[in-house]
C-alpha cells in the first residue's frame, strides 16, 4: 500500500507498538544504541526525540532519549577532544571568543544554559564539540548536557506521544483535529515559550 495511506500507517503503527510492548527491554536497548551512534555520526536530535515520544511515550521516551543523547554527545566530545582538537581549535576558536571567558568562569553552569538555549543558534553537531576549546571536564559535560537538554527533549517527546495518541484513536487523519488536540498544541505552546526564554537568555548571557 501507499505509505501516505492513513490506514496503512495506523496498522503498522499498531504492529510496531505491540512489538515494543512485548519486547520493551530489547527495543529500549536498540533505540539507545542507535541514538548514541546517530549522535556520534553528527545526526540531529529533534527527529529522534519525536520518534522516541511516539514509540515510548512522553515520560519514558524522554528518559531514554535524553540519556542516550547525553551519552552520544559525551562520546563525541571525548573523540573530538582526543583526535581532532587542533582542527576544531583552528576553525572555531575565533568564532566563540566572546563566550569563552564565560565558560571558563563556570563551565558547568554556562554549558547547561548553552544547551537550554539551543546552543545560541549553533548547529547541534558543533555544539557537541565546542567544549573542546575549553578543555571541559567530561563529568561536567555529561551532566550539563543531561540537564540542559531535558526541557526541550521532554517537549519534543510529548509532541511525538501526542501524534501517537491521535493515530491510535482516530480512524481518519484530520489536520484540524491534530492542531486542536491538547496533546499537540500544549507541547507546541511550551516549545514557543522555551524559544522566548532561550532568546532572552541568549541575549543576556551569550551576546
Amino acid at each position: 500500500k501507499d505509505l501516505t495511506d492513513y490506514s496503512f500507517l495506523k496498522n503498522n503503527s499498531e504492529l510496531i507498538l505491540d512489538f515494543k510492548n512485548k519486547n520493551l527491554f530489547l527495543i529500549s536497548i536498540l533505540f539507545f544504541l542507535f541514538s548514541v551512534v546517530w549522535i556520534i555520526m553528527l545526526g540531529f536530535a529533534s527527529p529522534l526525540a519525536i520518534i522516541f515520544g511516539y514509540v515510548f511515550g512522553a515520560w519514558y521516551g524522554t528518559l531514554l532519549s535524553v540519556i542516550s543523547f547525553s551519552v552520544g554527545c559525551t562520546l563525541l566530545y571525548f573523540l573530538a577532544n582526543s583526535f581532532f582538537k587542533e582542527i576544531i581549535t583552528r576553525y572555531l576558536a575565533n568564532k566563540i571568543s566572546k563566550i569563552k571567558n564565560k565558560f571558563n568562569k563556570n563551565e558547568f553552569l554556562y554549558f547547561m544554559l548553552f544547551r537550554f538555549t539551543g546552543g545560541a543558534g549553533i548547529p547541534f553537531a558543533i555544539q557537541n564539540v565546542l567544549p573542546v576549546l575549553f578543555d571541559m571536564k567530561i563529568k561536567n559535560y555529561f551532566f550539563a548536557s543531561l540537564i540542559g537538554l531535558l526541557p526541550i527533549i521532554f517537549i519534543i517527546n510529548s509532541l511525538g506521544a501526542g501524534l501517537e495518541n491521535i493515530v491510535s484513536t482516530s480512524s481518519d487523519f484530520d489536520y484540524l483535529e491534530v492542531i486542536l488536540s491538547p496533546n499537540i498544541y500544549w507541547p507546541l505552546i511550551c516549545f514557543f515559550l522555551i524559544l522566548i526564554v532561550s532568546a532572552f537568555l541568549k541575549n543576556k548571557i551569550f551576546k
Side-chain angles (χ1 to χ4, degrees):
K1 286 188 177 182
D2 188 350
L3 290 177
T4 60
D5 186 333
Y6 182 71
S7 62
F8 175 79
L9 295 175
K10 181 179 175 67
N11 292 335
N12 280 275
S13 174
E14 292 173 352
L15 289 174
I16 293 171
L17 294 178
D18 183 59
F19 181 78
K20 181 265 297 183
N21 290 331
K22 294 177 180 177
N23 303 274
L24 181 59
F25 180 76
L26 173 63
I27 297 301
S28 298
I29 294 296
L30 290 176
F31 268 72
F32 178 89
L33 293 176
F34 177 81
S35 297
V36 170
V37 173
W38 176 262
I39 297 299
I40 292 175
M41 298 299 292
L42 309 182
F44 294 102
S46 297
L48 270 187
I50 292 178
I51 294 172
F52 269 95
Y54 190 96
V55 175
F56 296 103
W59 295 101
Y60 184 62
T62 297
L63 177 66
L64 190 59
S65 58
V66 78
I67 292 175
S68 62
F69 293 168
S70 298
V71 170
C73 292
T74 304
L75 290 175
L76 175 59
Y77 167 65
F78 174 77
L79 292 172
N81 198 37
S82 299
F83 302 106
F84 305 104
K85 186 171 184 176
E86 291 185 5
I87 296 175
I88 293 170
T89 301
R90 186 187 313 147
Y91 284 98
L92 297 179
N94 293 331
K95 297 179 181 180
I96 51 87
S97 57
K98 292 182 180 179
I99 63 173
K100 186 172 182 178
N101 291 332
K102 297 180 184 292
F103 275 91
N104 289 335
K105 290 178 182 177
N106 191 329
E107 62 180 27
F108 177 83
L109 175 63
Y110 279 100
F111 191 60
M112 182 183 69
L113 292 173
F114 181 73
R115 287 296 203 190
F116 179 82
T117 61
I122 297 173
F124 188 66
I126 297 178
Q127 291 179 39
N128 294 334
V129 300
L130 204 58
V132 167
L133 303 175
F134 319 122
D135 288 321
M136 190 172 183
K137 295 178 181 177
I138 289 180
K139 180 179 71 174
N140 287 343
Y141 181 99
F142 175 79
F143 285 107
S145 294
L146 187 73
I147 299 171
L149 290 173
L150 185 59
I152 191 64
I153 293 298
F154 176 71
I155 291 170
I156 297 174
N157 268 265
S158 297
L159 186 61
L163 290 172
E164 188 280 321
N165 181 263
I166 290 172
V167 171
S168 64
T169 58
S170 302
S171 56
D172 295 306
F173 188 83
D174 187 326
Y175 286 102
L176 184 60
E177 179 186 355
V178 172
I179 295 172
L180 296 179
S181 170
N183 294 315
I184 299 299
Y185 67 67
W186 277 119
L188 288 177
I189 290 172
C190 291
F191 178 75
F192 285 115
L193 288 175
I194 286 284
L195 288 181
I196 293 170
V197 174
S198 297
F200 174 78
L201 290 175
K202 183 173 73 174
N203 289 331
K204 288 293 183 179
I205 299 173
F206 301 108
K207 191 173 181 181

